[in-house]
Amino acid sequence: MSELRIRRHFADGPFGQLHYRTCGDPNADGCPLLCLHQSPKSSREFVTVLPHLAADRFVIAVDSPGHGESDVPPTQADATIPDYARSAWAVIDTLDLGTIDILGHHTGAKVATEMAWQRPGDVGGIVMVSALVLTPEEQAEFEHMFDEIPLDETGTRFRNQWEAAIKHRGPGVSLEMLAASVAENNRAGEAYEWGHKAAFAYNAHFPDRGATLDHPITVLNPKDMLFELTPRVAPLLKNGRVVDHPEWGFGFMDVDPERTAQAVREAL
């Protein structure tokens, strides 16, 4: 896949500049594919798989506001899933792509849902990686898990992030991959957990809005911390399915990019 180069760009968005990566031929026959990352990562998590996804289509991976190289919104109230969706549409409109398919990972699955809800006629198919439907008690537990950790001289925040990365490390994930992932967590400074908070706040809307979508939706279910919870989304999907991948865990797109791209291709 070395002939398919990844290029980096900026576009204007609602809260400043938005950074995004592209790969492949904009004139390819396949429907363009937008990739939306989990929190608090960025489009960097798609770098290994992008050339494989771009073998037959143009692929775009966007940094949501406050993630990666995209500008941080002015307040946390501006960091919501609808805001992330509008920002992603700003990039798509800048590129004048027309109808797109979407691949959304964790938080990105919620952004994909909101994008299709905002502009249903501009979305073809959707692939989600995990899809979280929670009880109020589970919601509180997850929110507590991602509370901000104040900075201190002993590096508690960074030590906890590293320990969590080791705990949830997927099969085949190297220490170098984990280090790059943890580094991405902190790109937004003290706003580093706004993406998780946006995702949890959107849980109140996710089931209802997801249930309105007529788009074909495939939910890939790797064996990460959401593996047991993701199947709950299946009854909500008008035109969808959940596909278990117990052989995958956190970091699977880096470890197994060819099969990841094939799974996305089969879903779309």
Side-chain angles (χ1 to χ4, degrees):
M1 293 294 168
S2 58
E3 71 277 7
L4 290 172
R5 295 181 58 193
I6 297 173
R7 298 184 180 276
R8 299 171 66 179
H9 320 261
F10 286 90
D12 291 330
F15 310 114
Q17 288 194 302
L18 294 162
H19 174 254
Y20 64 99
R21 291 172 162 91
T22 63
C23 190
D25 181 2
N27 298 312
D29 291 336
C31 183
L33 176 66
L34 172 66
C35 299
L36 302 168
H37 59 81
Q38 61 182 321
S39 297
K41 312 301 183 184
S42 73
S43 62
R44 190 185 188 282
E45 74 174 6
F46 296 104
V47 163
T48 305
V49 75
L50 277 178
H52 299 274
L53 293 169
D56 56 357
R57 64 169 75 209
F58 185 55
V59 184
I60 313 97
V62 177
D63 294 356
S64 290
H67 297 74
E69 293 292 332
S70 290
D71 288 339
V72 179
T75 70
Q76 188 176 334
D78 300 304
T80 68
I81 297 300
D83 290 320
Y84 293 166
R86 284 189 286 271
S87 297
W89 278 125
V91 173
I92 297 304
D93 291 342
T94 295
L95 294 170
D96 193 23
L97 292 178
T99 301
I100 58 167
D101 293 333
I102 306 178
L103 167 62
H105 188 191
H106 283 210
T107 300
K110 292 182 168 61
V111 180
T113 299
E114 178 66 19
M115 289 183 72
W117 187 81
Q118 289 179 3
R119 291 168 50 172
D122 292 332
V123 175
I126 300 171
V127 179
M128 301 179 182
V129 178
S130 307
L132 197 55
V133 178
L134 297 174
T135 67
E137 294 76 19
E138 291 166 341
Q139 171 105 1
E141 183 178 347
F142 268 88
E143 288 182 359
H144 177 65
M145 189 185 307
F146 295 103
D147 282 340
E148 298 98 331
I149 301 173
L151 287 172
D152 59 28
E153 293 184 356
T154 63
T156 302
R157 176 189 297 176
F158 312 114
R159 184 176 65 252
N160 284 15
Q161 289 179 0
W162 182 252
E163 290 173 354
I166 293 294
K167 176 181 178 180
H168 297 294
R169 181 183 189 179
V173 173
S174 67
L175 291 177
E176 290 80 5
M177 292 174 185
L178 289 182
S181 177
V182 170
E184 286 298 294
N185 291 352
N186 297 284
R187 299 290 292 278
E190 295 310 288
Y192 78 103
E193 282 292 10
W194 286 7
H196 274 132
K197 292 183 182 302
F200 295 138
Y202 193 74
N203 281 344
H205 307 289
F206 179 60
D208 291 339
R209 292 192 178 175
T212 69
L213 301 181
D214 295 314
H215 308 75
I217 299 174
T218 296
V219 183
L220 305 179
N221 189 25
K223 197 167 187 180
D224 57 24
M225 66 169 62
L226 307 185
F227 182 71
E228 301 295 336
L229 302 174
T230 290
R232 295 178 185 174
V233 78
L236 304 177
L237 303 177
K238 281 186 179 181
N239 184 18
R241 59 182 179 143
V242 175
V243 180
D244 288 345
H245 282 280
E247 76 278 16
W248 289 342
F250 277 114
F252 72 94
M253 289 188 289
D254 278 332
V255 173
D256 202 358
E258 292 183 359
R259 290 190 61 229
T260 300
Q262 183 59 32
V264 172
R265 194 166 289 114
E266 290 172 356
L268 297 171

